[in-house]
């Protein structure tokens, strides 16, 4: 098992910069998730760790051993892909045993290791089936089996669950976490799904256009997003943004004909910057809809209900503000609101995230 370090790693394909100045050091046994929209460089980063892609610049080390110029087979990593990549003409046993047979591992050891892995993954009854005789979830387990049977230094998983339906994805998510904890192998897991990232990662690396936006635990990313991109990407439905101008300890929202009173962290972050253009971020779960401004609220914005979506345990309400801007509001349980109702949206000062409107960087810094 290995701690993995990437220092200033970059990848260019001709004119395309896929990954830029990527630096990260894992601890041994850590579960790191790379997340970001399609095309942001996740797969390229993973393939460079695997050695399947040469780096354009920077170094990669496993336990302080420089592996940058090593071939994939010398790095001792195992990779799981979205499309399973099983051999269709081989049964499950032979698919899992394939790598060991190539390396001329003695037959009795191959059998013992395949059986142990099959037991771990609950696929013993399937060992003599071909891939086409398996469900998607079973195939994914076999692909995992093929990776873990190698007992590698590092696991690399590239969107391994995206071909599965929602229920199976949740089940496999939990199984992968359990498995990784038990095996204690440092793991890089790629996904474009922020829910998956938040639920699985010890730490999450948020990427955009090849550039790391922020590295942090799920709580650090949720509580202290470094910029508007991370703020909008982490959390569902996404954070609301309102632009305004600083006026003492308040922010004037010209478009809503309203003023927001800051307090605590956001007020300290704003400092004394009259006229500064700022962006307020408010998560949907922190907005209340009432007739009047509740005591202690930062403001009360008039609007009207546009759509009400029941999620069972919660209700999602889209409110059209005076500026025509849409506000996502997530309320607990069921609500009596209907489209067309006049409402006032309010939120508490401690739930305001503050960004610079030009740079889109957080003004309150990364919270602990
Ligand atoms: N082999 C390649 N040749 C040229 N461009 C590539 C190649 N692989 C990836 N890219 C480009 O690099 C960028 C990052 O791609 P990728 O790492 O696959 O992103 P992700 O996995 O986050 O979707 C994209 O713009 C993609 O088109
Ligand atoms: Mg990819």
């Amino acid at each position: 098992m290995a701690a993995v370090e990437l220092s200033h790693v970059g990848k260019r394909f001709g004119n395309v910069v896929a990954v830029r100045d990527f630096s990260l050091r894992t601890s041994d046994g850590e579960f790191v998730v790379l997340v970001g929209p399609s095309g942001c460089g996740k797969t390229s980063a993973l393939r460079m760790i695997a050695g399947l892609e040469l780096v354009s610049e920077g170094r990669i080390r496993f336990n302080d051993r420089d592996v940058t110029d090593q071939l994939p087979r010398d790095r001792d990593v195992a990779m799981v892909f979205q499309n399973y990549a099983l051999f269709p003409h081989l049964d499950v046993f032979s698919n899992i045993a394939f790598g060991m047979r190539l390396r001329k591992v003695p037959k009795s050891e191959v059998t013992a290791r395949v059986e142990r892995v099959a037991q771990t993954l609950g696929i013993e009854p399937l060992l003599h089936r071909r891939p086409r005789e398996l469900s998607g979830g079973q195939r994914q387990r076999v692909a995992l089996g093929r990776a873990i049977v190698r007992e590698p230094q590092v696991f690399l998983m590239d969107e391994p669950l995206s071909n599965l339906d929602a229920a199976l994805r949740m089940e496999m998510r939990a199984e992968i976490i359990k498995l990784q904890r038990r095996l204690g192998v440092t793991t890089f897991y790629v996904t474009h799904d922020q829910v998956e990232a938040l639920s699985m990662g010890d730490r999450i690396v948020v990427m955009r256009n090849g550039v790391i936006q922020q590295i942090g635990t799920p709580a650090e990313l949720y509580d202290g997003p470094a910029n508007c991109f991370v703020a909008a990407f982490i959390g569902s439905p996404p954070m609301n943004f309102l632009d305004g101008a600083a006026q003492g300890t308040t922010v004037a929202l010209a478009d809503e004909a309203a003023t927001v009173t800051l307090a605590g962290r956001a007020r300290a972050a704003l400092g004394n910057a009259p006229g500064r253009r700022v962006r307020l971020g408010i998560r949907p779960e922190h907005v209340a809809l009432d007739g009047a401004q509740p005591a202690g609220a930062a403001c009360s914005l008039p609007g009207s209900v546009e759509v009400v979506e029941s999620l069972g345990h919660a209700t999602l309400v889209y409110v059209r503000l005076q500026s025509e801007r849409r506000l996502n509001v997530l309320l607990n349980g069921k609500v009596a609101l209907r489209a067309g109702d006049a409402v006032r949206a309010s939120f508490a000062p401690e739930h305001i995230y503050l960004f610079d409107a030009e740079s889109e960087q957080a003004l309150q810094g990364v919270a602990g």
Side-chain angles (χ1 to χ4, degrees):
M1 277 148 283
V4 176
E5 183 181 17
L6 294 95
S7 37
H8 307 290
V9 168
K11 180 68 194 176
R12 267 176 279 107
F13 295 103
N15 290 332
V16 178
V17 180
V19 177
R20 191 189 297 265
D21 197 22
F22 190 117
S23 292
L24 169 73
R25 189 186 168 87
T26 73
S27 51
D28 189 8
E30 192 174 13
F31 197 117
V32 176
V33 176
L34 307 184
V35 70
S38 178
C40 72
K42 306 180 294 292
T43 295
S44 301
L46 209 63
R47 288 175 58 84
M48 287 191 285
I49 300 169
L52 295 170
E53 208 72 75
L54 294 173
V55 306
S56 307
E57 56 247 317
R59 307 306 295 178
I60 300 175
R61 295 180 189 84
F62 291 179
N63 282 341
D64 298 322
R65 178 172 54 95
D66 196 315
V67 300
T68 316
D69 301 317
Q70 280 184 352
L71 294 170
R73 64 159 188 267
D74 299 326
R75 295 192 189 191
D76 198 11
V77 302
M79 198 150 168
V80 183
F81 302 92
Q82 172 179 354
N83 59 10
Y84 324 127
L86 301 177
F87 300 111
H89 57 290
L90 297 181
D91 67 9
V92 169
F93 186 101
S94 301
N95 261 286
I96 296 175
F98 190 82
M100 287 188 285
R101 285 177 174 163
L102 271 188
R103 279 176 279 121
K104 305 265 189 286
V105 174
K107 204 170 169 186
S108 59
E109 190 186 335
V110 170
T111 306
R113 279 167 70 174
V114 171
E115 281 172 358
R116 193 163 66 228
V117 164
Q119 196 183 1
T120 301
L121 293 167
I123 53 174
E124 300 132 295
L126 310 176
L127 282 173
H128 298 293
R129 291 204 201 162
R130 302 263 173 98
R132 69 179 141 75
E133 297 163 329
L134 303 175
S135 70
Q138 290 169 334
R139 276 181 220 163
Q140 195 55 60
R141 280 199 182 86
V142 176
L144 279 173
R146 209 170 42 173
I148 65 178
V149 78
R150 298 182 45 189
E151 299 170 9
Q153 299 263 347
V154 180
F155 280 135
L156 303 172
M157 305 193 185
D158 194 354
E159 315 229 14
L161 306 184
S162 32
N163 282 347
L164 306 181
D165 65 49
L168 196 53
R169 209 156 57 215
M170 276 184 74
E171 189 187 318
M172 288 298 292
R173 213 150 81 186
E175 279 191 27
I176 289 177
I177 296 169
K178 266 197 306 199
L179 192 65
Q180 195 269 346
R181 291 281 178 268
R182 183 140 44 89
L183 301 173
V185 177
T186 307
T187 301
F188 283 84
Y189 185 102
V190 162
T191 178
H192 61 272
D193 178 353
Q194 56 92 23
V195 176
E196 203 161 285
L198 288 175
S199 67
M200 297 183 83
D202 292 323
R203 274 194 305 166
I204 300 169
V205 180
V206 183
M207 296 179 69
R208 179 197 197 187
N209 297 335
V211 178
I212 294 179
Q213 302 294 300
Q214 190 170 2
I215 301 174
T217 64
E220 283 165 356
L221 297 186
Y222 180 88
D223 292 337
N227 57 39
C228 292
F229 176 80
V230 176
F233 192 75
I234 298 292
S236 174
M239 185 184 279
N240 300 291
F241 294 108
L242 297 166
D243 282 3
Q247 276 180 356
T249 60
T250 67
V251 173
L253 304 180
D255 297 343
E256 312 300 341
T259 300
V260 179
T261 308
L262 299 184
R265 201 171 60 165
R267 178 170 167 177
L270 183 62
N272 183 22
R276 181 173 193 171
R277 291 191 51 246
V278 296
R279 184 164 299 161
L280 308 182
I282 304 103
R283 295 202 183 274
E285 55 271 38
H286 294 148
V287 182
L289 298 179
D290 296 287
Q293 178 165 345
C299 68
S300 173
L301 309 176
S304 66
V305 173
E306 198 173 55
V307 177
V308 179
E309 284 179 12
S310 174
L311 306 175
H313 65 294
T315 306
L316 182 56
V317 183
Y318 298 113
V319 174
R320 187 65 69 176
L321 295 177
Q322 191 171 306
S323 62
E324 295 292 312
R325 179 180 276 279
R326 197 167 93 172
L327 200 67
N328 306 324
V329 183
L330 191 63
L331 302 171
N332 279 327
K334 300 199 187 340
V335 298
L337 292 168
R338 285 190 313 186
D341 286 354
V343 288
R344 298 191 77 91
S346 62
F347 41 87
E350 65 266 26
H351 287 139
I352 297 173
Y353 297 78
L354 200 59
F355 304 92
D356 183 272
E358 308 287 337
S359 69
E360 303 199 340
Q361 298 299 307
L363 286 182
Q364 52 212 67
V366 178

